[in-house]
Amino acid sequence: MARANATYYATRDAFADFTTAPEITQVFGEILGLWAAVCWKLLGSPSPVLLVEAGPGRGTLLSDALRAIGRVAPAFRTALQVHLIETSPRLRAMQVARVADACWHDTLASVPWEPILLLANEFLDALPIRQFVRRGGGWTERFVTATGFSEIPSDPPPCDLASIAKEGGVVEICEPANAFVAELSARLMVHPGAALFLDYGPDQSTVGDSLQAIAGGRPADPLGPIGCADLTAHVDFAALAKTARSRGAIVHGPKPQGRFLAELGLFQRTDRLARTQPPRRAAELVGAAQRLAEPNQMGRLFKAMALASPGAPVLPGFET
Ligand code: SAH
């Protein structure tokens, strides 16, 4: 999965295959930018502060965020330095065009240890998982071979689900996501900061195979030609929350993306923007906001989860 996705993001136009929230409406990035600005104030306005995005795609989220920050929170704009965590050279080139004055990193490890505000939309779901299958009272791990999946006897998976999985049940773990959250939490213990993850997955850990491939906007075979489809798995927010808490960070959520965005003014901002537009464009903007927020679209399966330094007040969007 790691190698297939690295090839995929390096060679394909991912955004021809799927659409993400920042590509649906500019209001998404604007809200997240102002979320970061309010967090910065709540954390005591540290300066300098790093505004970090993990997996920035085309750079759309951050360019919308920075525009909104520049207008509404100029002091934050002056204090911040932009750092982008991106492995795809192709997407980095697009990000350069949209976000000036940024530093790029392959991993979180090389980002300086400073006060930090981190945003990540649909980043964790692209990180590679391992799958374990409950078989005959023991466990196997699934591997990919030249001819398909094969299972090799293994130790039980190192997670809470191991004790409840029934025969044939698939348990997934995502070590890179866990390592990312662990390292971020360690940083939040040393410098004030907060992080916001938006991604899709259940709010409780669940047994089941969530690996999926998308190509050309449609479900595809995950074992099809390598690097031709986007491979993702559901994010196990509960496991990540546990990791963060065990390192001392505060965790808010996960809560449904629709409620999170609506409480932060998705519809009010959309209405204001729509008023300045011709009727057709105005209707598009309203439709886009509904797509992000409606429970039967992206509003419920997608979740928002935030981490913060110990002692930080409740972060915006998580008051209820
Ligand atoms: N956040 C963007 C893009 C989501 S697609 C949006 O919402 O539109 C996933 C992004 O994560 C892409 O930019 C991809 O290149 C990046 N990515 C995937 N695996 C990565 C990894 N291991 N390290 C860093 N970036 C990665």
Side-chain angles (χ1 to χ4, degrees):
M1 186 173 172
R3 279 188 291 165
N5 270 351
T7 308
Y8 174 74
Y9 283 109
T11 57
R12 297 258 158 171
D13 179 10
F15 299 91
D17 285 335
F18 57 86
T19 309
T20 55
E23 305 297 334
I24 292 172
T25 170
Q26 69 182 70
V27 178
F28 183 78
E30 292 171 350
I31 286 183
L32 266 50
L34 298 184
W35 181 90
V38 175
C39 288
W40 178 68
K41 282 221 158 145
L42 291 173
L43 292 164
S45 309
S47 180
V49 60
L50 309 187
L51 180 60
V52 181
E53 187 180 357
R58 285 174 164 167
T60 309
L61 191 165
L62 214 54
S63 80
D64 291 335
L66 288 169
R67 189 184 58 248
I69 292 168
R71 250 186 242 152
V72 178
F76 178 46
R77 185 70 190 85
T78 307
L80 68 82
Q81 298 165 0
V82 177
H83 289 258
L84 303 179
I85 301 170
E86 175 61 69
T87 40
S88 159
R90 196 170 190 277
L91 289 173
R92 276 191 187 196
M94 288 185 153
Q95 293 154 16
V96 171
R98 293 230 172 136
V99 185
D101 298 332
C103 297
W104 276 264
H105 305 266
D106 284 330
T107 64
L108 179 60
S110 59
V111 174
W113 280 60
E114 302 268 7
I116 187 171
L117 289 157
L118 182 138
L119 303 172
N121 184 60
E122 291 206 52
F123 166 67
L124 298 171
D125 69 351
L127 301 179
I129 53 161
R130 292 169 68 185
Q131 291 188 327
F132 298 84
V133 191
R134 186 84 169 132
R135 296 278 184 218
W139 288 91
T140 60
E141 181 169 2
R142 281 171 106 188
F143 287 89
V144 178
T145 68
T147 51
F149 284 121
S150 78
E151 292 180 23
I152 295 176
S154 77
D155 290 335
C159 71
D160 298 342
L161 291 171
S163 57
I164 58 161
K166 301 207 170 65
E167 179 65 16
V170 175
V171 167
E172 299 176 339
I173 61 169
C174 186
E175 287 158 334
N178 249 306
F180 189 92
V181 164
E183 173 168 357
L184 185 63
S185 304
R187 287 165 179 252
L188 297 178
M189 301 304 288
V190 177
H191 294 287
L196 180 64
F197 295 96
L198 292 128
D199 228 308
Y200 69 119
D203 43 18
Q204 300 294 326
S205 301
T206 38
V207 176
D209 177 358
S210 78
L211 179 68
Q212 69 168 36
I214 300 278
R218 279 195 219 100
D221 176 7
L223 296 182
I226 288 184
C228 293
D230 176 49
L231 297 180
T232 60
H234 283 184
V235 172
D236 186 348
F237 286 103
L240 298 177
K242 193 174 166 189
T243 298
R245 286 197 181 100
S246 75
R247 301 292 199 285
I250 295 179
V251 179
H252 297 295
K255 79 187 268 180
Q257 164 172 294
R259 276 182 42 216
F260 175 76
L261 293 176
E263 285 169 26
L264 292 179
L266 172 69
F267 291 104
Q268 289 87 337
R269 168 69 185 138
T270 299
D271 284 345
R272 268 186 82 168
L273 194 60
R275 258 183 257 146
T276 65
Q277 303 293 318
R280 200 172 155 169
R281 176 78 191 119
E284 273 171 17
L285 283 163
V286 173
Q290 284 167 345
R291 186 168 165 195
L292 298 191
E294 291 289 337
N296 60 351
Q297 300 200 56
M298 294 169 78
R300 186 184 293 146
L301 180 58
F302 280 75
K303 306 287 189 305
M305 186 173 87
L307 311 183
S309 296
V314 178
L315 302 180
F318 295 99
E319 294 91 348
T320 58

